Amino acid sequence: MKKFTQLLVCSCALLSLSGCVVRDAITDYVDTSQNTVQETSEAPGQRVYMDEVKGILQDFTGAALTMSSQEQTYIFDLSEATLECEDGMITGDEISVIYEGQLSSEDTSTVKALKVVDDFHKKNQLEVRKAYGEVQGLTPNTITIKDEQGKTATYPITGTEQYYQGGIRQGAWVYINFKGEFSSGSDGDASLNASHLKVLSVSDIDPLTLPDPTPTLEPTQEASTDVPQEQQLHATVQNISSNILTVSPPGSDSSLNIDLSQIPSYFKGGTAPGSYVSITYQGQYQENTLNGVTVTAVTGDDPDSFRSRGLTYTVNGTIIGHTSNTVTIQTGDGATITCFTEGASDTSTSGLAAGANILITFDPTKSKQSNIYTSIKIQDA
Protein backbone atom coordinates (compact mmCIF):
# COMPACT_ATOMS: atom_id res chain seq x y z
CA MET A 1 0.00 0.00 0.00
CA LYS A 2 2.84 2.35 0.88
CA LYS A 3 4.55 1.70 -2.47
CA PHE A 4 1.28 2.26 -4.30
CA THR A 5 0.80 5.62 -2.55
CA GLN A 6 4.32 6.72 -3.49
CA LEU A 7 3.71 5.70 -7.09
CA LEU A 8 0.43 7.63 -7.17
CA VAL A 9 2.09 10.80 -5.81
CA CYS A 10 4.93 10.58 -8.38
CA SER A 11 2.45 10.05 -11.20
CA CYS A 12 0.43 13.12 -10.19
CA ALA A 13 3.57 15.22 -9.96
CA LEU A 14 4.68 14.07 -13.40
CA LEU A 15 1.30 14.86 -14.93
CA SER A 16 1.32 18.29 -13.30
CA LEU A 17 4.78 19.04 -14.62
CA SER A 18 3.89 17.73 -18.06
CA GLY A 19 0.81 19.94 -18.14
CA CYS A 20 2.91 23.00 -17.35
CA VAL A 21 5.37 22.19 -20.12
CA VAL A 22 2.58 21.78 -22.66
CA ARG A 23 0.93 25.04 -21.63
CA ASP A 24 4.26 26.88 -21.76
CA ALA A 25 4.97 25.51 -25.24
CA ILE A 26 1.58 26.68 -26.48
CA THR A 27 2.11 30.09 -24.90
CA ASP A 28 5.58 30.45 -26.41
CA TYR A 29 4.47 29.41 -29.88
CA VAL A 30 1.90 31.86 -31.21
CA ASP A 31 0.62 31.67 -34.73
CA THR A 32 0.70 35.40 -35.46
CA SER A 33 -1.31 34.93 -38.62
CA GLN A 34 -4.33 34.97 -36.28
CA ASN A 35 -5.36 37.83 -34.05
CA THR A 36 -3.80 37.79 -30.59
CA VAL A 37 -5.53 39.57 -27.74
CA GLN A 38 -3.55 40.89 -24.77
CA GLU A 39 -4.29 43.03 -21.77
CA THR A 40 -2.18 46.18 -21.45
CA SER A 41 -0.23 46.71 -18.25
CA GLU A 42 -1.09 50.41 -18.23
CA ALA A 43 -4.83 49.84 -18.20
CA PRO A 44 -5.79 46.44 -16.76
CA GLY A 45 -8.74 44.96 -18.55
CA GLN A 46 -8.13 46.95 -21.75
CA ARG A 47 -7.59 44.54 -24.63
CA VAL A 48 -5.09 45.17 -27.42
CA TYR A 49 -5.18 43.37 -30.75
CA MET A 50 -1.87 42.28 -32.26
CA ASP A 51 -1.47 40.84 -35.72
CA GLU A 52 0.99 40.67 -38.59
CA VAL A 53 0.96 41.25 -42.32
CA LYS A 54 3.33 39.39 -44.62
CA GLY A 55 4.58 40.74 -47.89
CA ILE A 56 7.45 41.94 -50.08
CA LEU A 57 9.59 44.91 -49.10
CA GLN A 58 9.31 47.63 -51.73
CA ASP A 59 10.99 50.63 -50.10
CA PHE A 60 12.43 51.88 -46.82
CA THR A 61 13.12 55.53 -46.01
CA GLY A 62 14.51 55.19 -42.51
CA ALA A 63 11.23 55.77 -40.71
CA ALA A 64 8.65 54.38 -43.15
CA LEU A 65 8.34 51.06 -44.93
CA THR A 66 6.45 50.27 -48.10
CA MET A 67 5.43 46.68 -48.72
CA SER A 68 3.13 44.80 -51.07
CA SER A 69 0.87 42.01 -49.87
CA GLN A 70 -1.76 40.19 -51.89
CA GLU A 71 -2.05 42.98 -54.47
CA GLN A 72 -2.30 45.64 -51.76
CA THR A 73 0.30 48.22 -50.78
CA TYR A 74 0.94 49.18 -47.17
CA ILE A 75 3.05 52.04 -45.82
CA PHE A 76 3.97 51.63 -42.15
CA ASP A 77 5.41 54.23 -39.79
CA LEU A 78 8.37 52.48 -38.16
CA SER A 79 9.52 55.27 -35.86
CA GLU A 80 8.62 53.18 -32.79
CA ALA A 81 9.34 49.75 -34.25
CA THR A 82 12.44 47.55 -34.12
CA LEU A 83 14.09 46.07 -37.21
CA GLU A 84 15.04 42.42 -36.79
CA CYS A 85 15.56 41.14 -40.33
CA GLU A 86 18.58 38.90 -40.79
CA ASP A 87 19.46 40.37 -44.19
CA GLY A 88 18.48 43.91 -43.27
CA MET A 89 16.03 45.95 -45.32
CA ILE A 90 16.58 44.59 -48.81
CA THR A 91 14.04 45.26 -51.55
CA GLY A 92 12.38 42.10 -52.76
CA ASP A 93 12.77 40.32 -49.44
CA GLU A 94 9.84 38.55 -47.79
CA ILE A 95 9.09 40.19 -44.44
CA SER A 96 6.44 40.40 -41.76
CA VAL A 97 5.32 43.54 -39.96
CA ILE A 98 3.96 42.86 -36.48
CA TYR A 99 1.58 45.59 -35.38
CA GLU A 100 -0.80 46.61 -32.64
CA GLY A 101 -4.39 47.48 -33.52
CA GLN A 102 -6.74 46.46 -36.29
CA LEU A 103 -5.70 47.00 -39.89
CA SER A 104 -8.46 48.16 -42.18
CA SER A 105 -7.78 47.83 -45.90
CA GLU A 106 -4.57 49.69 -46.84
CA ASP A 107 -5.00 52.34 -44.14
CA THR A 108 -2.20 51.85 -41.60
CA SER A 109 -2.96 54.98 -39.57
CA THR A 110 -5.06 52.93 -37.14
CA VAL A 111 -2.22 50.60 -36.16
CA LYS A 112 1.18 50.86 -34.51
CA ALA A 113 4.06 48.92 -36.06
CA LEU A 114 6.05 47.10 -33.38
CA LYS A 115 8.56 44.99 -35.24
CA VAL A 116 9.77 44.05 -38.73
CA VAL A 117 11.08 40.50 -39.04
CA ASP A 118 11.94 37.97 -41.73
CA ASP A 119 8.90 36.03 -42.87
CA PHE A 120 9.13 32.72 -41.01
CA HIS A 121 7.53 30.90 -43.94
CA LYS A 122 9.60 32.38 -46.77
CA LYS A 123 8.77 30.90 -50.14
CA ASN A 124 11.92 32.26 -51.75
CA GLN A 125 15.25 32.94 -50.05
CA LEU A 126 17.24 35.88 -51.33
CA GLU A 127 19.63 34.59 -53.96
CA VAL A 128 22.98 36.06 -54.92
CA ARG A 129 22.68 37.84 -58.26
CA LYS A 130 25.35 39.30 -60.51
CA ALA A 131 25.72 42.51 -62.50
CA TYR A 132 28.47 43.29 -64.99
CA GLY A 133 29.11 46.77 -66.24
CA GLU A 134 31.39 49.64 -67.10
CA VAL A 135 32.44 51.83 -64.19
CA GLN A 136 31.06 55.36 -64.34
CA GLY A 137 32.14 56.50 -60.89
CA LEU A 138 33.38 55.29 -57.51
CA THR A 139 33.08 56.84 -54.03
CA PRO A 140 33.50 55.45 -50.49
CA ASN A 141 29.83 54.42 -50.39
CA THR A 142 28.78 53.92 -54.01
CA ILE A 143 29.81 52.52 -57.36
CA THR A 144 27.98 53.43 -60.55
CA ILE A 145 28.10 51.13 -63.57
CA LYS A 146 26.44 50.95 -66.97
CA ASP A 147 25.53 47.43 -68.01
CA GLU A 148 25.63 45.83 -71.44
CA GLN A 149 22.00 46.91 -72.06
CA GLY A 150 22.98 50.54 -71.44
CA LYS A 151 21.19 50.80 -68.07
CA THR A 152 22.91 52.69 -65.28
CA ALA A 153 22.70 51.82 -61.58
CA THR A 154 24.39 53.20 -58.48
CA TYR A 155 25.06 50.42 -55.96
CA PRO A 156 25.67 50.93 -52.22
CA ILE A 157 29.10 49.53 -51.29
CA THR A 158 29.74 50.76 -47.73
CA GLY A 159 31.97 48.17 -46.05
CA THR A 160 31.93 45.96 -49.18
CA GLU A 161 34.88 43.79 -50.18
CA GLN A 162 36.52 45.11 -53.38
CA TYR A 163 39.37 43.78 -55.50
CA TYR A 164 40.62 45.44 -58.67
CA GLN A 165 43.33 43.24 -60.17
CA GLY A 166 43.90 45.58 -63.09
CA GLY A 167 43.23 48.78 -61.17
CA ILE A 168 40.06 50.87 -60.95
CA ARG A 169 39.07 53.73 -63.24
CA GLN A 170 36.21 55.00 -65.34
CA GLY A 171 35.71 52.67 -68.27
CA ALA A 172 36.89 49.55 -66.45
CA TRP A 173 34.44 46.64 -66.31
CA VAL A 174 33.53 45.04 -63.00
CA TYR A 175 31.35 42.28 -61.58
CA ILE A 176 28.97 43.10 -58.71
CA ASN A 177 27.52 40.29 -56.60
CA PHE A 178 24.42 41.35 -54.69
CA LYS A 179 21.17 40.26 -53.07
CA GLY A 180 17.74 41.80 -53.60
CA GLU A 181 15.54 43.26 -56.32
CA PHE A 182 15.77 46.68 -57.92
CA SER A 183 13.25 49.09 -56.43
CA SER A 184 9.98 49.73 -58.19
CA GLY A 185 11.04 53.34 -58.75
CA SER A 186 13.55 52.22 -61.37
CA ASP A 187 13.39 53.87 -64.77
CA GLY A 188 13.05 50.94 -67.13
CA ASP A 189 14.59 52.82 -70.04
CA ALA A 190 17.71 54.39 -68.57
CA SER A 191 18.44 53.51 -64.95
CA LEU A 192 17.84 51.03 -62.16
CA ASN A 193 17.26 51.88 -58.51
CA ALA A 194 19.76 49.79 -56.55
CA SER A 195 19.68 51.86 -53.34
CA HIS A 196 18.31 49.08 -51.10
CA LEU A 197 20.27 46.11 -52.37
CA LYS A 198 23.02 44.37 -50.42
CA VAL A 199 26.26 44.29 -52.40
CA LEU A 200 28.50 41.40 -51.35
CA SER A 201 31.56 42.07 -53.50
CA VAL A 202 32.93 44.16 -56.36
CA SER A 203 35.78 42.98 -58.58
CA ASP A 204 37.14 43.07 -62.10
CA ILE A 205 37.48 39.27 -61.99
CA ASP A 206 34.83 36.71 -61.19
CA PRO A 207 34.90 34.91 -58.89
CA LEU A 208 36.87 37.26 -56.68
CA THR A 209 40.13 35.35 -56.13
CA LEU A 210 43.20 36.88 -54.58
CA PRO A 211 46.63 35.90 -55.95
CA ASP A 212 48.95 33.83 -53.79
CA PRO A 213 51.37 35.95 -51.77
CA THR A 214 54.89 36.41 -53.11
CA PRO A 215 57.02 33.58 -51.70
CA THR A 216 59.68 34.50 -49.17
CA LEU A 217 63.25 33.91 -50.34
CA GLU A 218 65.11 31.03 -48.75
CA PRO A 219 68.07 31.99 -46.56
CA THR A 220 70.46 30.71 -49.24
CA GLN A 221 68.86 32.89 -51.91
CA GLU A 222 69.89 36.49 -52.42
CA ALA A 223 67.69 39.13 -53.94
CA SER A 224 69.15 40.74 -57.03
CA THR A 225 70.60 44.16 -56.33
CA ASP A 226 69.23 45.27 -59.71
CA VAL A 227 65.62 44.77 -58.54
CA PRO A 228 64.25 47.66 -56.43
CA GLN A 229 63.15 46.46 -53.02
CA GLU A 230 59.49 46.91 -52.09
CA GLN A 231 58.55 48.84 -48.95
CA GLN A 232 55.24 49.67 -47.32
CA LEU A 233 53.61 52.79 -45.97
CA HIS A 234 50.61 52.58 -43.63
CA ALA A 235 48.15 55.45 -44.16
CA THR A 236 44.61 56.55 -43.28
CA VAL A 237 41.93 56.70 -45.97
CA GLN A 238 40.39 60.12 -46.42
CA ASN A 239 38.41 59.63 -49.62
CA ILE A 240 38.18 57.82 -52.93
CA SER A 241 36.88 59.44 -56.08
CA SER A 242 36.90 57.40 -59.28
CA ASN A 243 40.53 56.23 -59.56
CA ILE A 244 42.07 58.61 -57.00
CA LEU A 245 42.54 57.35 -53.43
CA THR A 246 43.36 60.13 -50.98
CA VAL A 247 45.21 59.10 -47.84
CA SER A 248 46.94 60.75 -44.91
CA PRO A 249 50.43 59.51 -43.94
CA PRO A 250 51.02 58.70 -40.26
CA GLY A 251 51.73 61.73 -38.10
CA SER A 252 50.94 64.17 -40.90
CA ASP A 253 48.11 66.57 -41.70
CA SER A 254 48.92 66.50 -45.42
CA SER A 255 47.36 64.26 -48.06
CA LEU A 256 48.67 61.91 -50.71
CA ASN A 257 46.74 61.18 -53.90
CA ILE A 258 47.30 57.70 -55.30
CA ASP A 259 46.23 56.91 -58.86
CA LEU A 260 44.70 53.42 -58.73
CA SER A 261 43.95 53.19 -62.44
CA GLN A 262 46.72 50.66 -63.11
CA ILE A 263 47.49 49.41 -59.58
CA PRO A 264 46.17 46.17 -58.05
CA SER A 265 43.98 47.20 -55.11
CA TYR A 266 42.21 45.16 -52.46
CA PHE A 267 39.88 46.50 -49.76
CA LYS A 268 38.39 43.72 -47.66
CA GLY A 269 36.26 46.10 -45.63
CA GLY A 270 35.69 48.75 -48.25
CA THR A 271 37.23 52.21 -48.53
CA ALA A 272 35.54 53.97 -45.62
CA PRO A 273 37.21 57.16 -44.40
CA GLY A 274 39.16 56.49 -41.24
CA SER A 275 40.18 52.97 -42.26
CA TYR A 276 43.79 52.10 -43.00
CA VAL A 277 45.64 50.91 -46.10
CA SER A 278 49.12 49.60 -46.74
CA ILE A 279 50.79 51.18 -49.77
CA THR A 280 53.44 48.98 -51.35
CA TYR A 281 56.03 50.98 -53.25
CA GLN A 282 59.51 51.00 -54.75
CA GLY A 283 61.88 53.92 -54.49
CA GLN A 284 62.78 56.47 -51.86
CA TYR A 285 59.72 57.82 -50.06
CA GLN A 286 60.06 61.47 -49.14
CA GLU A 287 57.77 62.71 -46.41
CA ASN A 288 54.42 63.97 -47.70
CA THR A 289 55.13 63.27 -51.38
CA LEU A 290 55.17 60.32 -53.76
CA ASN A 291 57.56 61.97 -56.20
CA GLY A 292 60.17 59.45 -57.27
CA VAL A 293 58.13 56.57 -55.84
CA THR A 294 56.42 53.80 -57.82
CA VAL A 295 53.32 52.41 -56.07
CA THR A 296 52.85 48.73 -56.93
CA ALA A 297 49.82 47.78 -54.79
CA VAL A 298 47.33 49.12 -52.25
CA THR A 299 45.78 46.84 -49.63
CA GLY A 300 43.23 47.79 -47.01
CA ASP A 301 43.52 46.48 -43.49
CA ASP A 302 41.63 43.29 -42.68
CA PRO A 303 38.75 44.27 -40.35
CA ASP A 304 38.41 40.63 -39.25
CA SER A 305 41.79 40.90 -37.55
CA PHE A 306 40.65 43.70 -35.21
CA ARG A 307 38.38 43.73 -32.23
CA SER A 308 35.26 45.79 -32.73
CA ARG A 309 36.48 48.71 -30.60
CA GLY A 310 39.69 48.90 -32.62
CA LEU A 311 37.91 49.52 -35.93
CA THR A 312 37.98 53.00 -37.48
CA TYR A 313 35.61 52.68 -40.46
CA THR A 314 33.34 55.72 -40.57
CA VAL A 315 30.41 57.10 -42.51
CA ASN A 316 28.75 60.47 -42.09
CA GLY A 317 25.66 62.16 -43.36
CA THR A 318 22.33 63.79 -42.59
CA ILE A 319 19.71 61.89 -40.60
CA ILE A 320 16.59 61.20 -42.66
CA GLY A 321 14.78 58.90 -40.24
CA HIS A 322 15.06 56.43 -37.41
CA THR A 323 13.34 53.47 -35.77
CA SER A 324 13.65 52.46 -32.13
CA ASN A 325 16.90 50.57 -32.87
CA THR A 326 18.28 52.14 -36.09
CA VAL A 327 19.15 55.47 -37.66
CA THR A 328 19.28 56.17 -41.41
CA ILE A 329 21.49 58.83 -42.98
CA GLN A 330 21.93 60.30 -46.43
CA THR A 331 25.63 60.61 -47.29
CA GLY A 332 27.27 63.32 -49.34
CA ASP A 333 27.95 60.84 -52.14
CA GLY A 334 24.28 59.88 -52.42
CA ALA A 335 24.04 56.64 -50.43
CA THR A 336 21.25 55.85 -47.97
CA ILE A 337 22.75 53.96 -45.03
CA THR A 338 20.96 52.42 -42.04
CA CYS A 339 22.86 51.58 -38.85
CA PHE A 340 21.86 49.83 -35.65
CA THR A 341 22.09 52.14 -32.64
CA GLU A 342 21.78 49.62 -29.81
CA GLY A 343 25.02 49.15 -27.89
CA ALA A 344 26.77 52.07 -29.58
CA SER A 345 28.51 54.86 -27.69
CA ASP A 346 26.39 57.90 -28.54
CA THR A 347 27.86 61.34 -27.84
CA SER A 348 25.81 63.17 -30.47
CA THR A 349 23.78 66.12 -29.25
CA SER A 350 20.87 65.93 -31.69
CA GLY A 351 18.94 63.08 -30.13
CA LEU A 352 19.12 61.53 -33.63
CA ALA A 353 16.58 64.03 -34.89
CA ALA A 354 15.99 64.30 -38.64
CA GLY A 355 18.22 66.87 -40.30
CA ALA A 356 21.15 66.49 -37.89
CA ASN A 357 24.60 65.63 -39.22
CA ILE A 358 26.32 62.70 -37.52
CA LEU A 359 29.46 60.60 -37.89
CA ILE A 360 29.14 56.85 -37.30
CA THR A 361 32.00 54.45 -36.67
CA PHE A 362 30.78 51.03 -37.81
CA ASP A 363 31.86 47.41 -37.87
CA PRO A 364 31.98 46.02 -41.44
CA THR A 365 32.52 42.47 -40.18
CA LYS A 366 28.96 42.34 -38.84
CA SER A 367 27.27 43.45 -42.04
CA LYS A 368 28.68 41.07 -44.62
CA GLN A 369 25.20 39.74 -45.45
CA SER A 370 23.04 42.62 -44.22
CA ASN A 371 22.59 46.19 -45.42
CA ILE A 372 22.08 47.39 -41.84
CA TYR A 373 25.41 48.25 -40.22
CA THR A 374 26.42 47.81 -36.59
CA SER A 375 27.39 51.12 -35.00
CA ILE A 376 30.33 51.29 -32.62
CA LYS A 377 30.23 55.01 -31.96
CA ILE A 378 27.87 57.86 -32.92
CA GLN A 379 28.97 61.48 -32.68
CA ASP A 380 28.27 64.88 -34.18
CA ALA A 381 29.81 65.32 -37.61
Side-chain angles (χ1 to χ4, degrees):
M1 184 66 181
K2 183 177 181 180
K3 291 183 178 180
F4 177 76
T5 303
Q6 291 175 341
L7 180 61
L8 181 61
V9 170
C10 291
S11 300
C12 291
L14 181 61
L15 286 173
S16 176
L17 178 60
S18 174
C20 291
V21 171
V22 172
R23 284 195 298 272
D24 289 343
I26 294 174
T27 302
D28 290 340
Y29 179 78
V30 178
D31 181 5
T32 51
S33 64
Q34 298 178 354
N35 287 344
T36 303
V37 183
Q38 296 185 346
E39 290 188 358
T40 63
S41 57
E42 293 83 358
Q46 180 180 349
R47 294 183 179 274
V48 176
Y49 291 85
M50 295 178 62
D51 203 351
E52 72 170 353
V53 58
K54 303 176 182 179
I56 306 298
L57 177 61
Q58 301 293 324
D59 194 19
F60 173 64
T61 65
L65 172 148
T66 302
M67 66 182 296
S68 61
S69 177
Q70 298 180 348
E71 299 184 352
Q72 289 188 314
T73 299
Y74 298 96
I75 301 176
F76 286 95
D77 176 6
L78 300 184
S79 57
E80 297 182 67
T82 58
L83 305 186
E84 299 180 15
C85 295
E86 181 178 352
D87 293 317
M89 301 297 281
I90 301 178
T91 46
D93 199 9
E94 297 178 30
I95 59 171
S96 293
V97 177
I98 299 172
Y99 60 87
E100 179 182 279
Q102 292 180 293
L103 187 62
S104 175
S105 186
E106 297 182 2
D107 181 13
T108 61
S109 63
T110 59
V111 302
K112 176 183 176 182
L114 304 175
K115 187 181 298 186
V116 182
V117 298
D118 293 311
D119 186 353
F120 184 74
H121 302 288
K122 279 188 179 183
K123 296 179 181 178
N124 301 295
Q125 296 294 329
L126 286 175
E127 296 182 355
V128 177
R129 304 172 61 193
K130 187 180 301 181
Y132 182 59
E134 183 181 20
V135 175
Q136 308 296 300
L138 175 69
T139 71
N141 301 299
T142 68
I143 187 169
T144 302
I145 67 169
K146 180 184 289 186
D147 66 20
E148 295 171 304
Q149 286 73 46
K151 294 183 180 181
T152 300
T154 297
Y155 294 81
I157 57 169
T158 304
T160 298
E161 182 178 24
Q162 302 168 55
Y163 176 51
Y164 308 109
Q165 180 177 253
I168 182 65
R169 61 196 174 278
Q170 287 187 353
W173 285 74
V174 297
Y175 297 90
I176 297 178
N177 288 285
F178 66 94
K179 293 190 298 184
E181 303 287 342
F182 294 101
S183 295
S184 56
S186 299
D187 183 342
D189 296 327
S191 63
L192 299 170
N193 185 346
S195 58
H196 292 301
L197 302 178
K198 174 56 184 177
V199 177
L200 305 174
S201 66
V202 182
S203 180
D204 55 0
I205 59 174
D206 186 64
L208 191 162
T209 306
L210 298 178
D212 294 330
T214 303
T216 303
L217 293 175
E218 296 295 331
T220 56
Q221 294 179 296
E222 294 183 3
S224 171
T225 56
D226 296 332
V227 179
Q229 296 301 298
E230 290 188 335
Q231 304 179 69
Q232 285 193 333
L233 171 68
H234 208 223
T236 307
V237 174
Q238 293 181 329
N239 190 33
I240 188 169
S241 179
S242 191
N243 58 298
I244 301 299
L245 177 69
T246 302
V247 300
S248 175
S252 173
D253 294 331
S254 62
S255 299
L256 299 175
N257 290 324
I258 304 172
D259 186 348
L260 302 180
S261 58
Q262 303 294 330
I263 300 173
S265 308
Y266 176 56
F267 309 100
K268 188 173 183 180
T271 57
S275 61
Y276 291 91
V277 293
S278 294
I279 303 164
T280 305
Y281 67 93
Q282 296 173 341
Q284 187 64 41
Y285 170 68
Q286 302 292 331
E287 187 176 357
N288 303 332
T289 179
L290 292 176
N291 292 337
V293 168
T294 300
V295 177
T296 58
V298 175
T299 305
D301 278 356
D302 182 357
D304 291 306
S305 65
F306 295 91
R307 291 187 176 183
S308 181
R309 296 295 173 179
L311 294 170
T312 56
Y313 293 74
T314 65
V315 61
N316 73 81
T318 303
I319 297 176
I320 60 174
H322 68 83
T323 69
S324 64
N325 67 335
T326 67
V327 63
T328 300
I329 62 175
Q330 186 79 43
T331 66
D333 53 359
T336 301
I337 299 174
T338 299
C339 298
F340 286 118
T341 56
E342 293 178 333
S345 169
D346 185 359
T347 61
S348 63
T349 59
S350 65
L352 302 184
N357 294 317
I358 58 174
L359 175 71
I360 299 176
T361 303
F362 68 94
D363 186 347
T365 69
K366 295 183 179 180
S367 57
K368 293 181 179 180
Q369 299 295 319
S370 171
N371 66 353
I372 301 182
Y373 298 84
T374 298
S375 302
I376 300 172
K377 181 167 57 177
I378 303 171
Q379 59 196 97
D380 293 326

